[in-house]
Amino acid sequence: MTHFVRTLLATIVLVSLGTCCSAEALRVAVQKTGTFAWELAVIRAHGLDKQANLSVEVLELASPEAGKIALRAGNADIVVTDWLWVSRERGLGAKLTFYPYSSALGAVMVPASSPIQTLADLKGRKLAVAGGPIDKNWLLLLAWLKQGGIDLKSDATIAYGAPPLLAAKTLSGEMDATVNYWNFCAALEAKGFRRIAGIEDLLPKLGAKGRTAMLGYVFDETWANANQDRIARFIAMTRVAKEILSTSDAEWEKIAPLTGAPDAATLRAYRDRYREGIPRRPIADEEADARILYRVLSEIGGRELVGPAPELDAGTFYHAIPGD
């Protein structure tokens, strides 16, 4: 019911603002192969940007890091990244703020015939870890296993690297298992790989009360305070796009070329995992769990990950959206 009310409010905001003012520019930095590009395609196809009186200017970039640079340089108004980086930047003096975008996290994947059945079975194995030694998926897995007395950093052979390279190595049999980002895991799933555990499944044991949105829309706090109405329309617009992708299989056929899915099975896996990751909780619940997980990540990742602050910065989450 809460999600229905939020979506209804989003639709009302779009309709009520659709004719009252001229289109305002909004610059978004988007990873060309990222899921935000999928949402933007739906927004354009359904004219949601026009209904919200927004002129969305898209800056296509090669990586999430490039998006962060664009935001900090003032070349973009909004990017998609995680609250870890936002809190770290706030601690260093940059007043950025975060609004939930997706709770889709990575997973531990193994070949269908693998003898690995549980996370404990990763001991002594060759493990491909996407994103490097301070990637949040990897650190959350380490923290979870540490509670059972397992330290994979010393109990397994670890290879770090780029997500597509490590997915390929796992497919070729060079690695016993991989900890990879959700979309690469979905692609492996479509090829018959088994999902030992989703990282989101580990969060309750680490103290979170629900599925937590790690990724969000990120923007400058000062800019947001001066443009609250514009941000509200943007969030309303993206909520409607998410609802379309949540309910329409036909829409996925339309955006299939953007996803890069080589076949119908992969597209279905992308669709199902994307839908699972749509945030549906009140912002206060998201923030409360983020605070808990931040402490976990801070303890295991240290200053290299979170900077000097042991706690999530108080202004990390944005709270000025109607219906939250």
Side-chain angles (χ1 to χ4, degrees), residues 33 77 103 121 125 136 151 162 180 190 229 238 249 262 313 318:
T33 57
D77 299 319
S103 65
D121 295 338
R125 303 289 183 172
K136 57 184 175 293
D151 181 4
N180 216 317
D229 178 66
T238 60
D249 292 347
D313 189 274
Y318 185 70

Side-chain angles (χ1 to χ4, degrees), residues 135-324:
D135 177 75
K136 57 184 175 293
N137 287 311
W138 171 234
L139 293 177
L140 289 167
L141 174 63
L142 287 179
W144 191 90
L145 284 169
K146 190 177 180 181
Q147 293 185 359
I150 298 172
D151 181 4
L152 277 189
K153 286 191 292 186
S154 58
D155 294 340
T157 301
I158 310 300
Y160 301 110
L165 173 64
L166 296 186
K169 284 182 175 294
T170 309
L171 274 169
S172 69
E174 290 182 52
M175 309 302 292
D176 297 316
T178 185
V179 183
N180 216 317
Y181 300 159
W182 78 265
N183 49 330
F184 290 96
C185 291
L188 289 172
E189 211 171 355
K191 290 178 170 62
F193 272 59
R194 283 192 290 112
R195 187 179 175 96
I196 296 299
I199 301 301
E200 66 274 2
D201 301 327
L202 312 183
L203 302 186
K205 190 175 177 181
L206 297 175
K209 299 295 189 293
R211 185 170 177 136
T212 308
M214 298 285 289
L215 287 176
Y217 306 108
V218 175
F219 33 89
D220 181 83
E221 185 179 78
T222 301
W223 176 83
N225 289 338
N227 293 277
Q228 287 191 16
D229 178 66
R230 198 180 314 189
I231 290 291
R233 281 181 278 146
F234 171 77
I235 296 299
M237 176 182 73
T238 60
R239 282 180 181 167
V240 175
K242 280 183 168 69
E243 188 63 19
I244 291 169
L245 287 169
S246 177
T247 56
S248 172
D249 292 347
E251 202 67 32
W252 283 90
E253 297 296 331
K254 294 175 185 176
I255 67 167
L258 277 179
T259 69
D263 50 53
T266 305
L267 184 64
R268 285 195 299 272
Y270 285 162
R271 179 197 69 196
D272 294 346
R273 295 303 180 190
Y274 171 91
R275 287 173 172 175
E276 289 174 1
I278 297 174
R280 304 185 186 279
R281 300 197 300 161
I283 197 80
D285 293 350
E286 294 282 1
E287 184 172 16
D289 279 349
R291 290 192 177 283
I292 292 167
L293 295 176
Y294 183 95
R295 295 187 195 109
V296 172
L297 290 163
S298 174
E299 181 179 342
I300 199 163
R303 291 174 66 92
E304 186 180 1
L305 177 69
V306 301
E311 299 284 338
L312 187 79
D313 189 274
T316 297
F317 276 70
Y318 185 70
H319 284 272
I321 301 297
D324 285 342

Side-chain angles (χ1 to χ4, degrees), residues 81-146:
T81 189
D82 59 51
W83 42 252
L84 275 169
W85 181 73
V86 172
S87 184
R88 180 189 176 103
E89 290 298 296
R90 290 182 67 88
L92 297 172
K95 296 304 180 185
L96 306 178
T97 191
F98 169 104
Y99 190 86
Y101 163 76
S102 177
S103 65
L105 290 171
V108 180
M109 306 294 296
V110 299
S113 59
S114 171
I116 299 171
Q117 298 296 325
T118 70
L119 293 176
D121 295 338
L122 295 173
K123 287 182 66 174
R125 303 289 183 172
K126 292 187 292 184
L127 184 59
V129 176
I134 59 170
D135 177 75
K136 57 184 175 293
N137 287 311
W138 171 234
L139 293 177
L140 289 167
L141 174 63
L142 287 179
W144 191 90
L145 284 169
K146 190 177 180 181

